[in-house]
Amino acid sequence: MLSIDGVLLDFKRLDSLATGDSAIHRLDPRAKVLVTFVFIVTVVSFGKYELTAMVPFFIFPAVIIGLGNLPAGYIARKIALLCPFALVVAIFNPVFDREVLVQLGPLGITGGWISCASIVVRAALTVGAAIILLAVTGFPAICRALERLGMPAAFAVQLLFLYRYIFVLTEEGGRASRARALRSFGNKGLGMKTYGSLLGHLLLRTWLRAERIHMAMLARGFTGEFHTRHEFRFGRREHLFLLCWSTLFITLRLQNASQLLGSLVTGISR
């Protein structure tokens, strides 16, 4: 199991990936946000038994990972960490849906197993798309893009604060956890009873830290807006990026490419 510091470093690696200089990184964040939105909406719109129709959608994360020079193994591990939650949601489908929909020789596959796999694949695709967007754009740029696309500025500022200070809170939590471990000779004081005072102490430290940060921001002229030197420019490349991927997603949604390919292969083999 990862320690608090390990989890923190793991999240910071996504930030470091967003500082890359590939063609995908240089695109306007709004184009990447819109393409990811169309991708997620298209994937979640499939029916619960349309498992094979979602397979061609793995093209999108594979292409973006390749063009963005992202570490495929690291992205796959991040997705795998969240997939068990989807499996917990889908695990009872085979129990309640026992109608056989596919017959593979003597083996009959019920609708419950197909819908269970469909939920896991859907989760892997959507979570993967969100992680890849974060890795090629960065969370602050995503928030600014959402604000430019119409999201209320107050909500964007709240998201930026949450993302910025979740690391500060994690550092404070890690420091308190290490202090507790160093003072627990012979495993004394490591029980659940000490967590109450530990959390109370962490809340007080967070409160005092938040007041100091707020006063420092007011002293520097903070008026509720974050200013950046990065200029947004939605040019020809962004229009082409958005048009091509959106057209592909909608086409794959309307036509089952896996089924067409299977029919073509079996037709040739006859």
Side-chain angles (χ1 to χ4, degrees):
M1 181 179 291
L2 288 175
S3 64
I4 293 177
D5 292 338
V7 173
L8 183 64
L9 291 174
D10 216 34
F11 272 110
K12 284 184 176 177
R13 188 177 179 189
L14 282 176
D15 268 347
S16 65
L17 290 175
T19 60
D21 190 29
S22 68
I24 298 296
H25 286 85
R26 288 191 292 272
L27 286 172
D28 189 294
R30 289 173 293 181
K32 291 180 276 187
V33 169
L34 287 173
V35 166
T36 304
F37 176 74
V38 175
F39 176 82
I40 291 175
V41 169
T42 310
V43 168
V44 299
S45 68
F46 279 103
K48 61 180 181 179
Y49 297 136
E50 296 179 284
L51 176 61
T52 59
M54 287 188 284
V55 174
F57 280 81
F58 281 98
I59 294 172
F60 175 65
V63 170
I64 300 298
I65 287 174
L67 294 178
N69 298 322
L70 300 177
Y74 172 75
I75 300 295
R77 286 195 297 274
K78 295 291 102 184
I79 298 171
L81 278 177
L82 297 173
C83 280
F85 295 101
L87 189 59
V88 169
V89 174
I91 195 64
F92 292 107
N93 286 22
V95 177
F96 297 106
D97 187 355
R98 298 185 178 183
E99 182 183 359
V100 176
L101 297 182
V102 178
Q103 194 70 39
L104 295 176
L107 179 63
I109 301 177
T110 65
W113 284 111
I114 295 176
S115 61
C116 176
S118 171
I119 291 173
V120 174
V121 170
R122 206 184 310 253
L125 284 170
T126 53
V127 171
I131 292 175
I132 290 170
L133 173 65
L134 192 59
V136 296
T137 308
F139 194 77
I142 292 174
C143 288
R144 283 192 286 273
L146 290 172
E147 186 181 350
R148 294 291 185 94
L149 291 170
M151 188 174 74
F155 190 51
V157 170
Q158 290 296 321
L159 284 177
L160 284 171
F161 272 127
L162 175 67
Y163 185 71
R164 170 65 183 86
Y165 291 107
I166 193 70
F167 296 110
V168 178
L169 178 63
T170 310
E171 287 175 356
E172 291 286 352
R175 193 174 296 118
S177 178
R178 282 196 301 275
R180 171 176 167 270
L182 290 172
R183 288 165 174 78
S184 302
F185 300 104
N187 293 329
K188 293 181 180 178
L190 286 178
M192 296 298 293
K193 293 181 179 178
T194 59
Y195 273 102
S197 60
L198 185 68
L199 292 176
H201 187 66
L202 181 62
L203 175 63
L204 290 176
R205 289 173 64 90
T206 305
W207 195 328
L208 295 174
R209 184 78 173 264
E211 283 189 347
R212 291 201 302 272
I213 291 173
H214 183 230
M215 296 301 292
M217 292 177 70
L218 291 179
R220 288 167 173 78
F222 179 69
T223 59
E225 294 182 4
F226 285 100
H227 301 283
T228 176
R229 287 182 294 181
H230 179 77
E231 294 183 1
F232 283 70
R233 184 178 180 277
F234 206 98
R236 184 182 301 173
R237 290 184 309 162
E238 284 75 15
H239 281 100
L240 191 63
F241 181 77
L242 177 60
L243 179 64
C244 290
W245 280 116
S246 299
T247 303
L248 178 64
F249 297 154
I250 294 172
T251 303
L252 291 177
R253 177 64 185 90
L254 298 176
Q255 298 291 333
N256 190 334
S258 300
Q259 193 173 33
L260 290 176
L261 182 61
S263 302
L264 182 63
V265 171
T266 54
I268 292 175
S269 64
R270 290 174 185 173

